[in-house]
Amino acid sequence: MSSPWDFSDENRRVESCRVAGIELKAGDRVRLAPSGRADIMDLALAGKIGQIEAIEQDFNDKIHLAIVLDDDPGRDLGMLRQPGHRFFFALDEVEPLPKPHPIDN
């Protein structure tokens, strides 16, 4: 049985969410727009493109997107949920990117 403080609890994952009227799921791509402007990471990550690795809900019921950057050389580690290669953003800090057309794949 997991503790309510267990961050690896799969029950904290959310299937999908809506940003700007667009449904997002794990695997979708977004452009980052950190709103904090609080530190160098916000500035460094602004405008970067990444893939949603997971959608998670915290203990205050706030939804966060775990993002793995497209240009991260350690991208594979991010997809394995390793620290330092996933970044968490609120829903108002991402811009959904168009989904590829099935013929484009």
Side-chain angles (χ1 to χ4, degrees):
M1 179 173 191
S2 66
S3 156
W5 299 104
D6 182 2
F7 290 101
S8 64
D9 185 354
E10 294 292 324
N11 292 329
R12 304 300 303 177
R13 287 192 167 204
V14 176
E15 181 79 23
S16 66
C17 63
R18 285 200 166 272
V19 173
I22 298 172
E23 182 178 30
L24 293 176
K25 295 181 177 180
D28 287 338
R29 297 176 72 237
V30 295
R31 182 182 323 276
L32 304 179
S35 61
R37 304 282 184 227
D39 61 24
I40 189 66
M41 290 304 290
D42 284 349
L43 296 172
L45 296 175
K48 295 274 189 179
I49 306 294
Q51 181 179 10
I52 299 172
E53 186 278 323
I55 303 170
E56 299 179 1
Q57 185 173 22
D58 69 15
F59 298 106
N60 294 317
D61 294 329
K62 185 174 179 182
I63 302 295
H64 303 272
L65 302 176
I67 306 292
V68 176
L69 299 177
D70 283 2
D71 63 354
D72 181 355
R75 188 173 190 291
D76 55 332
L77 297 173
M79 297 310 283
L80 294 172
R81 311 191 84 204
Q82 297 300 303
H85 297 280
R86 292 191 326 149
F87 300 92
F88 290 86
F89 292 90
L91 299 181
D92 63 348
E93 295 182 303
V94 300
E95 172 190 337
L97 293 176
K99 297 179 183 187
H101 191 275
I103 292 176
D104 295 340
N105 288 334

